[in-house]
């Protein structure tokens, strides 16, 4: 069996373990305070493997974010390429299934993007989310072109913001607050939430019959 030149000795699943360890540490602490030695110790592998697989701590951080969000990006790309991109339920489910098992990641993303420009994590996350936003714009734009979906007078950009807000807020809100609304981040509850979100976006929640108004 040939060995890749310069590769340190390590387990075959070392790369995956490093990504998992990075996700655990970076979602609990700031990028600056997490060292590569800590990540390697958490993963139970040689620290030299971080440089081998990812080049640097920043490279590991970027791979961790991109690989965790890969199902969401793949779903966006697939929906954007469809002739009739109408699967709003599938889009939301893809997002929740990728994010819910890693509840610290959405909060990490918000925290880093609020820290301001200039840092390496900010650059990485901005790059990833620029792609997400571009893909969501493509999907939303094609959905509007293929279906006369929006009511007259509705601003498309604000409609897209409403869609993103409904998807994102439950995963970045404090858990105690979500419990007040009776929502746990388990698969059954998230599927119920998706159904509700789609109903809100497509039908609304208030009775528009003038006779029902107080």
């Amino acid at each position: 069996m040939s060995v890749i030149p310069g590769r340190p000795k390590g387990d075959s699943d070392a790369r995956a373990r490093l990504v998992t360890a990075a996700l655990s540490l970076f979602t609990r602490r700031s990028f600056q305070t997490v060292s590569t030695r800590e990540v390697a110790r958490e993963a139970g592998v040689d620290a030299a493997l971080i440089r081998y697989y990812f080049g640097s701590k920043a490279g590991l951080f970027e791979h961790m974010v991109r690989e965790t969000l890969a199902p969401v990006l793949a779903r966006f790309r697939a929906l954007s390429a469809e002739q009739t991109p109408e699967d709003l339920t599938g889009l939301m489910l893809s997002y929740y299934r990728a994010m819910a098992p890693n509840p610290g990641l959405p909060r990490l993303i918000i925290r880093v993007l609020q820290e301001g420009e200039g840092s390496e994590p900010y650059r990485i996350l901005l790059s990833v989310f620029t792609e997400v936003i571009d893909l969501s714009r493509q999907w939303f734009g094609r959905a509007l072109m293929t279906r006369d979906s929006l009511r007259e007078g509705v601003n498309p950009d604000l409609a897209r913001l409403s869609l993103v807000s409904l998807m994102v807020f439950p995963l970045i809100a404090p858990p105690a607050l979500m419990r007040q609304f009776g929502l746990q981040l388990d698969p059954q509850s998230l599927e119920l939430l998706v159904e509700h979100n789609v109903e809100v976006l497509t039908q609304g929640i208030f009775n528009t019959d003038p006779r029902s108004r107080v």
Side-chain angles (χ1 to χ4, degrees):
M1 179 179 178
S2 61
V3 178
I4 301 173
R7 174 175 179 169
K9 294 181 180 180
D11 299 331
S12 59
D13 66 342
R15 186 187 184 284
R17 286 159 59 186
L18 283 167
V19 170
T20 300
L23 181 60
S24 173
L25 288 169
F26 286 130
T27 54
R28 287 187 280 117
R29 290 167 43 203
S30 68
F31 177 84
Q32 292 78 10
T33 63
V34 175
S35 71
T36 54
R37 288 187 180 277
E38 285 181 283
V39 177
R41 185 164 57 248
E42 178 95 357
V45 303
D46 188 334
L49 287 173
I50 293 177
R51 179 170 294 277
Y52 175 78
Y53 285 120
F54 309 105
S56 63
K57 183 171 77 167
L60 171 59
F61 182 87
E62 181 166 5
H63 278 274
M64 177 268 293
V65 172
R66 288 190 179 278
E67 290 177 25
T68 303
L69 292 177
V72 180
L73 290 170
R75 188 64 180 168
F76 263 127
R77 293 188 191 103
L79 289 171
S80 297
E82 290 177 2
Q83 293 301 311
T84 54
E86 302 177 2
D87 190 8
L88 181 57
T89 298
L91 176 63
M92 287 194 180
L93 282 174
S94 296
Y95 177 77
Y96 288 142
R97 286 169 181 166
M99 291 298 215
N102 309 294
L105 183 59
R107 297 186 189 98
L108 164 68
I109 292 167
I110 297 301
R111 185 175 73 239
V112 170
L113 292 180
Q114 286 180 331
E115 287 176 355
E117 302 178 16
S119 71
E120 193 72 3
Y122 181 92
R123 180 193 64 77
I124 291 167
L125 287 176
L126 186 63
S127 172
V128 173
F129 271 82
T130 295
E131 183 176 3
V132 171
I133 291 169
D134 287 344
L135 287 168
S136 72
R137 183 180 293 113
Q138 292 173 32
W139 177 85
F140 204 77
R142 293 194 65 175
L144 293 180
M145 286 189 294
T146 55
R147 299 169 61 201
D148 188 17
S149 300
L150 289 185
R151 295 190 181 114
E152 184 178 353
V154 174
N155 184 307
D157 288 330
L158 294 180
R160 187 160 54 89
L161 175 61
S162 297
L163 167 61
V164 172
S165 299
L166 283 170
M167 286 176 57
V168 171
F169 178 75
L171 298 186
I172 64 173
L177 176 61
M178 297 314 297
R179 286 195 295 272
Q180 293 294 317
F181 292 114
L183 181 68
Q184 301 292 331
L185 299 184
D186 56 80
Q188 184 176 1
S189 296
L190 289 174
E191 287 185 15
L192 182 64
L193 177 62
V194 168
E195 291 178 10
H196 171 76
N197 287 348
V198 172
E199 187 73 13
V200 168
L201 289 166
T202 57
Q203 302 296 328
I205 59 175
F206 293 116
N207 188 339
T208 57
D209 185 345
R211 292 172 298 178
S212 67
R213 294 176 185 171
V214 177

